[in-house]
Amino acid sequence: MTLTCDVLVVGAGPGGSSAAAAAAEAGAHTIMIERKSRVGVPVQCGEGIGAYLLPFLPFPIPPEQLIWTLNELTFWAEELSTARTGKLWTTHLLNRAAFDAWLARRAEEKGAEVLRETELIALTVKTGYTVTSATVKTPAGIREIAPRVVIAADGVDATVLKLLGFKPDKQTTCGKVLSYEMAHLQLRSPRSFQVFLGDFAPGVYAYILPKSRTTANVGVGTIVFDRKLRECYDAFMELPPVRAQVGTGTLVQDKSGWAPIRSFTEHWVYDNVLLVGDVANQNFKPFVEGIIPTIICGDRAGKTAADFIRGKGALDIYPDRVRATIGPLFAESDQLIPILYELSTSKDPRDHVLRLCLFASIISLKQFEHLRRADTDYRAIQGIVERWTRSPFRQPVADLIERLGFWYLLLKSR
Ligand SMILES: Cc1cc2nc3c(=O)[nH]c(=O)nc-3n(C[C@H](O)[C@H](O)[C@H](O)COP(=O)(O)OP(=O)(O)OC[C@H]3O[C@@H](n4cnc5c(N)ncnc54)[C@H](O)[C@@H]3O)c2cc1C
């Protein structure tokens, strides 16, 4: 027997659960399918979320989900390091498995039907991209679901896109990240998120994201695939500040995976299909921060789908609804994508330190481009970092300007 629904959500990650909750809460008959038996497991994530994004969320995260707080972000490149502090640089750690399970439960409480161990394997498509039916594999056999709207929140594997005829290629669009939860570490500062830039993380970065005084997610990413990521990880482990902290560590869990940098598709809406989360490249560069943006976009997709079902709006307004909230943050983030790729194969220490300056907001994008065009040498850029780090007033002034910009953005998004 064919199941019918208003909204079919594919994938119960943060994007799918947020979309399903919003659609169901707004009155749409919503089914969310998840191919795994346990939502959120296995974890493929660093589990950090920026505190600055919490005010943009459509619903609050219960305090018990925020298991550890990092009030400093330290950047390392070559022999240099500098730290940023304050609300805009604060990171909360989640237990992703528990967090994703909570989000899925929340969707159920709002009225969505969640079908676990249910994998999308085929789509029936009418003209263009209009999906009329979805074929799913369940422990009880193959079933058909006939939806009016499909929300594709199936992550980087992008099954919905593939079934619609797109050819998403992870090697040219995504970064690959080796990430491990480690215990028994000797962290120099358990309240500091440490970001490392250098040849060991081509195009992106390596990190130590503490989850407690002695545990952390430790990872290395790349967008260049001519070298084994394991070698990059080993090179990262050899850095003196890393060896000193992680050398004593023991492996708790592998949390590796792929994270989008470039988009698989040009649009977020294809006829009655809305794309949410990783499949739509909805994360903020340079840190490829996807959890909170994905929840916000999922909420807007769910509300848009429910409005469409009630005859109160078209589906293609979904991108505008996202732009009205976190659009400026996506615009800023998109500007960094060409830079990540341009510098990905550079072995020049100057470029690593330049990226440190940009990522730590010591310089603006304009200044970054000027320094690159002017072929400014390593020592001069080192001087910029050292003056910034030593200066008693530069950081507070920068903090104030950043905060004002942030509050303006927040007010505009209301
Ligand atoms: C190693 C690593 C570290 C990261 N660290 C961070 C971080 O610290 N902070 C941060 O903000 N972001 C981080 N990210 C990014 C973040 O994890 C993602 O942006 C986020 O999970 C995207 O959520 P999503 O709902 O789009 O997709 P996902 O979380 O991937 O969820 C997709 C779901 O769809 C299901 N699915 C897939 N195909 C099918 C199918 N055919 N049928 C049914 N179900 C299907 C999957 O099983 C999965 O549950 C990291 C990513 C990686 C890989």
Coordinates of all heavy atoms in Angstrom, one line a residue, residues 335-399:
Q335 N 32.5 34.2 -0.2 CA 33.7 34.9 -0.7 C 35.0 34.2 -0.4 O 36.0 34.4 -1.0 CB 33.8 36.3 0.0 CG 32.7 37.3 -0.5 CD 32.8 38.6 0.1 OE1 33.1 38.7 1.3 NE2 32.8 39.7 -0.6
L336 N 34.9 33.3 0.7 CA 36.2 32.6 1.1 C 36.4 31.4 0.2 O 37.5 30.9 0.2 CB 36.1 32.3 2.6 CG 36.0 33.5 3.5 CD1 35.9 33.0 4.9 CD2 37.3 34.3 3.4
I337 N 35.4 30.9 -0.4 CA 35.6 29.6 -1.2 C 36.7 29.7 -2.2 O 37.6 28.8 -2.2 CB 34.2 29.1 -1.8 CG1 33.2 28.9 -0.7 CG2 34.4 27.8 -2.6 CD1 31.8 28.6 -1.2
P338 N 36.7 30.7 -3.1 CA 37.8 30.7 -4.1 C 39.2 30.8 -3.4 O 40.2 30.2 -3.9 CB 37.6 31.9 -4.9 CG 36.3 32.5 -4.5 CD 35.8 31.7 -3.3
I339 N 39.3 31.5 -2.3 CA 40.6 31.6 -1.6 C 41.0 30.3 -1.0 O 42.2 29.9 -1.1 CB 40.4 32.6 -0.4 CG1 40.2 34.0 -1.0 CG2 41.7 32.6 0.5 CD1 39.8 35.1 0.0
L340 N 40.1 29.5 -0.5 CA 40.4 28.2 0.1 C 41.0 27.3 -1.0 O 42.1 26.7 -0.9 CB 39.2 27.5 0.7 CG 38.5 28.1 1.8 CD1 37.4 27.2 2.4 CD2 39.5 28.4 3.0
Y341 N 40.4 27.4 -2.2 CA 41.0 26.6 -3.4 C 42.2 27.1 -3.9 O 43.2 26.4 -4.2 CB 39.9 26.4 -4.4 CG 38.9 25.3 -4.1 CD1 37.7 25.6 -3.4 CD2 39.2 24.0 -4.3 CE1 36.8 24.6 -3.0 CE2 38.3 22.9 -3.9 CZ 37.2 23.3 -3.3 OH 36.3 22.2 -2.9
E342 N 42.3 28.5 -4.1 CA 43.5 29.1 -4.6 C 44.7 28.8 -3.8 O 45.8 28.6 -4.4 CB 43.3 30.6 -4.7 CG 42.8 31.2 -6.0 CD 42.4 32.6 -5.8 OE1 43.3 33.4 -5.3 OE2 41.3 32.9 -6.0
L343 N 44.6 28.8 -2.5 CA 45.8 28.6 -1.6 C 46.0 27.2 -1.2 O 46.9 26.8 -0.5 CB 45.6 29.5 -0.4 CG 45.6 31.0 -0.6 CD1 45.6 31.7 0.8 CD2 46.8 31.4 -1.4
S344 N 45.1 26.3 -1.8 CA 45.1 24.9 -1.2 C 46.4 24.2 -1.5 O 46.8 23.3 -0.8 CB 43.9 24.1 -1.8 OG 44.0 24.0 -3.2
T345 N 47.1 24.5 -2.7 CA 48.3 23.8 -3.0 C 49.6 24.6 -2.6 O 50.7 24.1 -2.9 CB 48.3 23.4 -4.5 OG1 48.0 24.6 -5.2 CG2 47.3 22.3 -4.9
S346 N 49.4 25.8 -2.0 CA 50.5 26.6 -1.7 C 51.4 26.0 -0.6 O 50.8 25.5 0.5 CB 50.1 28.0 -1.3 OG 51.2 28.7 -0.8
K347 N 52.7 25.9 -0.7 CA 53.5 25.4 0.3 C 54.3 26.6 1.0 O 55.2 26.4 1.8 CB 54.6 24.5 -0.3 CG 54.0 23.3 -1.0 CD 54.3 22.0 -0.2 CE 53.7 20.8 -0.8 NZ 52.4 20.5 -0.3
D348 N 53.9 27.8 0.6 CA 54.6 29.0 1.0 C 54.1 29.4 2.5 O 52.9 29.6 2.7 CB 54.2 30.2 0.1 CG 55.0 31.4 0.3 OD1 55.6 31.5 1.4 OD2 55.0 32.3 -0.5
P349 N 55.0 29.4 3.4 CA 54.6 29.7 4.8 C 53.9 31.1 4.9 O 53.0 31.3 5.7 CB 56.0 29.8 5.6 CG 56.9 29.1 4.7 CD 56.5 29.1 3.3
R350 N 54.3 32.0 4.0 CA 53.6 33.3 4.0 C 52.1 33.1 3.8 O 51.3 33.8 4.5 CB 54.2 34.1 2.8 CG 53.7 35.5 2.7 CD 54.0 36.0 1.3 NE 53.0 35.5 0.4 CZ 52.4 36.2 -0.6 NH1 52.6 37.5 -0.6 NH2 51.6 35.6 -1.4
D351 N 51.7 32.2 2.9 CA 50.2 32.0 2.7 C 49.5 31.4 3.9 O 48.4 31.7 4.1 CB 50.0 31.1 1.4 CG 50.4 31.9 0.1 OD1 50.4 33.1 0.2 OD2 50.7 31.2 -0.9
H352 N 50.2 30.6 4.6 CA 49.6 30.0 5.8 C 49.4 31.1 6.8 O 48.3 31.2 7.5 CB 50.5 28.9 6.4 CG 50.8 27.8 5.5 ND1 49.9 27.3 4.6 CD2 52.0 27.1 5.3 CE1 50.5 26.4 3.9 NE2 51.7 26.2 4.3
V353 N 50.3 32.0 7.0 CA 50.2 33.1 8.0 C 49.2 34.1 7.5 O 48.4 34.7 8.3 CB 51.6 33.7 8.3 CG1 51.4 34.8 9.3 CG2 52.5 32.7 8.8
L354 N 49.1 34.3 6.2 CA 48.1 35.2 5.7 C 46.7 34.7 6.0 O 45.8 35.4 6.3 CB 48.2 35.3 4.1 CG 48.9 36.6 3.6 CD1 48.9 36.5 2.0 CD2 48.2 37.8 4.0
R355 N 46.5 33.4 5.8 CA 45.2 32.8 6.1 C 44.9 32.9 7.6 O 43.8 33.2 8.0 CB 45.2 31.3 5.7 CG 45.0 31.1 4.2 CD 44.5 29.7 3.9 NE 45.5 28.7 4.3 CZ 45.2 27.5 4.7 NH1 43.9 27.1 4.7 NH2 46.1 26.6 5.1
L356 N 46.0 32.8 8.4 CA 45.7 33.0 9.9 C 45.2 34.4 10.1 O 44.2 34.6 10.9 CB 47.1 32.8 10.6 CG 47.0 33.0 12.2 CD1 48.1 32.2 12.8 CD2 47.2 34.5 12.6
C357 N 45.8 35.4 9.5 CA 45.3 36.8 9.7 C 43.9 36.9 9.2 O 43.1 37.6 9.9 CB 46.2 37.7 8.8 SG 47.9 37.9 9.4
L358 N 43.5 36.3 8.1 CA 42.2 36.4 7.6 C 41.2 35.7 8.5 O 40.1 36.2 8.9 CB 42.1 35.9 6.2 CG 40.8 36.0 5.5 CD1 40.4 37.5 5.2 CD2 40.8 35.3 4.1
F359 N 41.5 34.4 8.8 CA 40.6 33.6 9.6 C 40.4 34.2 11.0 O 39.3 34.1 11.6 CB 41.1 32.2 9.8 CG 41.1 31.4 8.5 CD1 40.7 31.9 7.3 CD2 41.4 30.0 8.5 CE1 40.7 31.2 6.1 CE2 41.4 29.3 7.3 CZ 41.0 29.9 6.1
A360 N 41.4 34.8 11.6 CA 41.3 35.4 12.9 C 40.7 36.8 12.9 O 40.7 37.5 13.9 CB 42.7 35.4 13.6
S361 N 40.4 37.2 11.7 CA 39.8 38.6 11.5 C 40.8 39.7 11.9 O 40.4 40.8 12.4 CB 38.5 38.8 12.2 OG 37.5 38.1 11.5
I362 N 42.1 39.4 11.8 CA 43.1 40.4 12.1 C 43.2 41.4 10.9 O 43.4 42.6 11.0 CB 44.5 39.8 12.3 CG1 44.5 39.0 13.6 CG2 45.6 40.8 12.2 CD1 45.8 38.2 13.8
I363 N 42.9 40.9 9.7 CA 42.8 41.7 8.5 C 41.5 41.4 7.8 O 40.9 40.3 8.0 CB 44.0 41.5 7.5 CG1 44.1 40.0 7.1 CG2 45.3 42.0 8.1 CD1 45.1 39.7 6.0
S364 N 41.0 42.4 7.0 CA 39.8 42.2 6.2 C 40.1 41.4 4.9 O 41.3 41.3 4.6 CB 39.2 43.5 5.9 OG 40.0 44.2 5.0
L365 N 39.1 41.0 4.2 CA 39.3 40.3 2.9 C 40.0 41.3 2.0 O 40.9 40.9 1.2 CB 38.0 39.9 2.4 CG 38.0 39.0 1.2 CD1 38.8 37.7 1.4 CD2 36.5 38.6 0.8
K366 N 39.7 42.6 2.0 CA 40.3 43.6 1.1 C 41.8 43.6 1.4 O 42.6 43.6 0.5 CB 39.7 44.9 1.4 CG 39.2 45.6 0.1 CD 38.4 46.8 0.5 CE 38.4 47.7 -0.7 NZ 37.6 48.9 -0.4
Q367 N 42.1 43.7 2.7 CA 43.6 43.8 3.1 C 44.3 42.5 2.7 O 45.4 42.6 2.2 CB 43.7 44.0 4.6 CG 43.3 45.4 5.1 CD 43.1 45.5 6.6 OE1 42.5 44.6 7.2 NE2 43.7 46.5 7.2
F368 N 43.6 41.4 2.9 CA 44.2 40.1 2.5 C 44.6 40.1 1.0 O 45.7 39.8 0.6 CB 43.2 39.0 2.8 CG 43.6 37.7 2.3 CD1 44.4 36.8 3.0 CD2 43.1 37.2 1.1 CE1 44.7 35.6 2.6 CE2 43.4 35.9 0.6 CZ 44.2 35.1 1.4
E369 N 43.6 40.6 0.2 CA 43.9 40.6 -1.3 C 45.0 41.6 -1.6 O 45.9 41.3 -2.5 CB 42.6 40.9 -2.0 CG 41.9 39.6 -2.3 CD 40.5 39.6 -2.6 OE1 39.9 40.7 -2.6 OE2 39.9 38.5 -2.7
H370 N 45.0 42.7 -0.9 CA 46.1 43.7 -1.2 C 47.4 43.2 -0.8 O 48.4 43.3 -1.6 CB 45.8 45.0 -0.3 CG 46.9 46.0 -0.3 ND1 47.2 46.7 -1.4 CD2 47.9 46.2 0.6 CE1 48.3 47.4 -1.2 NE2 48.7 47.2 0.0
L371 N 47.5 42.5 0.3 CA 48.8 41.9 0.8 C 49.3 40.8 -0.2 O 50.5 40.7 -0.5 CB 48.7 41.3 2.2 CG 48.5 42.4 3.3 CD1 48.1 41.7 4.6 CD2 49.8 43.2 3.5
R372 N 48.4 40.1 -0.7 CA 48.8 39.0 -1.7 C 49.2 39.7 -3.0 O 50.2 39.3 -3.6 CB 47.6 38.1 -2.0 CG 47.4 37.1 -0.9 CD 46.5 36.0 -1.4 NE 47.1 35.1 -2.4 CZ 46.5 34.4 -3.3 NH1 45.2 34.5 -3.4 NH2 47.1 33.6 -4.1
R373 N 48.4 40.7 -3.5 CA 48.8 41.3 -4.8 C 50.2 42.0 -4.6 O 51.0 41.9 -5.5 CB 47.8 42.3 -5.2 CG 46.7 41.8 -6.1 CD 46.0 43.0 -6.8 NE 45.6 44.0 -5.9 CZ 44.4 44.0 -5.2 NH1 43.6 43.0 -5.4 NH2 44.1 45.0 -4.4
A374 N 50.4 42.6 -3.5 CA 51.7 43.3 -3.3 C 52.8 42.4 -3.0 O 54.0 42.9 -2.8 CB 51.5 44.3 -2.1
D375 N 52.6 41.1 -3.0 CA 53.6 40.1 -2.7 C 54.4 40.4 -1.4 O 55.6 40.3 -1.3 CB 54.6 40.1 -3.9 CG 55.0 38.7 -4.2 OD1 54.4 37.8 -3.6 OD2 55.9 38.5 -5.1
T376 N 53.6 40.8 -0.4 CA 54.2 41.2 0.9 C 55.0 40.0 1.5 O 54.5 38.8 1.4 CB 53.1 41.6 1.9 OG1 52.3 42.5 1.2 CG2 53.6 42.2 3.1
D377 N 56.2 40.2 2.0 CA 57.0 39.0 2.4 C 56.6 38.5 3.8 O 55.8 39.1 4.6 CB 58.5 39.3 2.3 CG 59.0 40.3 3.3 OD1 58.2 40.5 4.3 OD2 60.1 40.8 3.2
Y378 N 57.1 37.3 4.1 CA 56.7 36.6 5.3 C 56.9 37.5 6.6 O 56.0 37.6 7.5 CB 57.5 35.3 5.4 CG 57.2 34.5 6.7 CD1 56.1 33.7 6.7 CD2 58.0 34.6 7.8 CE1 55.8 33.0 7.9 CE2 57.7 33.9 9.0 CZ 56.6 33.1 9.0 OH 56.2 32.4 10.1
R379 N 58.1 38.1 6.7 CA 58.4 38.9 7.9 C 57.4 40.0 8.1 O 57.0 40.2 9.3 CB 59.8 39.5 7.8 CG 61.0 38.5 7.8 CD 61.2 38.0 9.3 NE 61.8 36.6 9.2 CZ 61.5 35.6 10.0 NH1 60.6 35.7 10.9 NH2 62.2 34.5 9.8
A380 N 57.0 40.6 7.0 CA 56.0 41.7 7.2 C 54.7 41.2 7.7 O 54.1 41.9 8.6 CB 55.8 42.4 5.9
I381 N 54.3 40.1 7.2 CA 53.0 39.5 7.7 C 53.1 39.0 9.1 O 52.2 39.2 10.0 CB 52.5 38.4 6.8 CG1 52.3 39.0 5.4 CG2 51.2 37.8 7.2 CD1 52.1 38.1 4.3
Q382 N 54.3 38.4 9.4 CA 54.6 38.0 10.8 C 54.4 39.2 11.7 O 53.9 39.2 12.8 CB 56.0 37.5 10.9 CG 56.4 37.0 12.2 CD 57.8 36.5 12.2 OE1 58.7 36.9 11.4 NE2 58.2 35.6 13.1
G383 N 55.0 40.4 11.3 CA 54.9 41.6 12.1 C 53.5 42.0 12.3 O 53.1 42.5 13.4
I384 N 52.6 41.8 11.4 CA 51.2 42.2 11.5 C 50.6 41.3 12.7 O 49.9 41.9 13.6 CB 50.4 42.0 10.2 CG1 50.9 42.9 9.1 CG2 48.9 42.1 10.5 CD1 50.2 42.7 7.8
V385 N 50.9 40.0 12.6 CA 50.3 39.1 13.7 C 50.9 39.5 15.0 O 50.1 39.6 16.0 CB 50.7 37.7 13.4 CG1 50.1 36.7 14.5 CG2 50.1 37.3 12.0
E386 N 52.2 39.8 15.1 CA 52.8 40.1 16.4 C 52.3 41.4 17.0 O 52.0 41.5 18.2 CB 54.3 40.1 16.3 CG 54.8 38.6 16.1 CD 56.3 38.5 15.8 OE1 56.9 39.6 15.5 OE2 56.8 37.4 15.8
R387 N 52.2 42.4 16.1 CA 51.7 43.7 16.6 C 50.3 43.5 17.1 O 49.9 44.1 18.2 CB 51.7 44.7 15.5 CG 53.1 45.3 15.3 CD 53.1 46.6 14.5 NE 52.6 46.4 13.2 CZ 53.3 45.9 12.2 NH1 54.6 45.5 12.4 NH2 52.8 45.7 11.0
W388 N 49.5 42.8 16.4 CA 48.1 42.6 16.8 C 48.0 41.8 18.2 O 47.3 42.2 19.1 CB 47.4 41.7 15.7 CG 46.1 41.1 16.2 CD1 46.0 39.9 16.8 CD2 44.8 41.6 16.1 NE1 44.7 39.6 17.2 CE2 43.9 40.7 16.7 CE3 44.2 42.8 15.6 CZ2 42.5 40.9 16.8 CZ3 42.9 43.0 15.7 CH2 42.0 42.1 16.3
T389 N 48.8 40.8 18.3 CA 48.8 40.0 19.5 C 49.2 40.8 20.7 O 48.7 40.6 21.8 CB 49.6 38.7 19.3 OG1 49.2 38.1 18.1 CG2 49.5 37.7 20.4
R390 N 50.2 41.6 20.5 CA 50.8 42.4 21.6 C 50.0 43.6 22.0 O 50.0 44.1 23.1 CB 52.2 42.9 21.3 CG 53.3 41.8 21.5 CD 54.7 42.5 21.6 NE 54.9 43.4 20.5 CZ 55.6 43.0 19.4 NH1 56.1 41.8 19.3 NH2 55.8 43.9 18.5
S391 N 49.2 44.2 21.0 CA 48.6 45.4 21.2 C 47.5 45.4 22.3 O 46.6 44.5 22.3 CB 48.0 45.9 19.9 OG 47.1 47.0 20.2
P392 N 47.5 46.3 23.2 CA 46.5 46.3 24.3 C 45.1 46.8 23.8 O 44.1 46.5 24.4 CB 47.0 47.2 25.4 CG 47.9 48.1 24.6 CD 48.4 47.4 23.4
F393 N 45.1 47.5 22.7 CA 43.8 48.1 22.3 C 43.2 47.5 21.0 O 42.0 47.6 20.7 CB 43.9 49.6 22.2 CG 44.8 50.1 21.1 CD1 44.3 50.3 19.8 CD2 46.1 50.4 21.3 CE1 45.1 50.8 18.8 CE2 46.9 50.8 20.3 CZ 46.4 51.0 19.1
R394 N 44.0 46.9 20.1 CA 43.5 46.4 18.8 C 42.3 45.4 19.0 O 41.3 45.5 18.4 CB 44.6 45.8 18.0 CG 45.4 46.8 17.3 CD 46.5 46.1 16.5 NE 47.7 47.0 16.4 CZ 48.2 47.5 15.3 NH1 47.7 47.1 14.2 NH2 49.2 48.3 15.4
Q395 N 42.5 44.4 19.9 CA 41.5 43.4 20.1 C 40.2 44.0 20.6 O 39.2 43.7 20.1 CB 42.1 42.3 21.1 CG 43.2 41.5 20.5 CD 43.0 40.0 20.7 OE1 41.9 39.5 20.7 NE2 44.1 39.3 20.7
P396 N 40.3 44.8 21.7 CA 39.0 45.3 22.2 C 38.3 46.2 21.1 O 37.0 46.1 21.0 CB 39.4 46.2 23.4 CG 40.8 45.8 23.8 CD 41.4 45.1 22.6
V397 N 39.0 46.9 20.3 CA 38.4 47.7 19.3 C 37.7 46.8 18.2 O 36.6 47.0 17.8 CB 39.4 48.7 18.6 CG1 38.8 49.4 17.4 CG2 39.9 49.7 19.7
A398 N 38.5 45.8 17.8 CA 38.0 44.9 16.8 C 36.7 44.2 17.4 O 35.7 44.0 16.7 CB 39.0 43.8 16.5
D399 N 36.8 43.8 18.7 CA 35.6 43.1 19.3 C 34.4 44.0 19.2 O 33.3 43.5 18.9 CB 35.9 42.8 20.8 CG 36.8 41.6 20.9 OD1 37.0 40.9 19.9 OD2 37.3 41.3 22.1

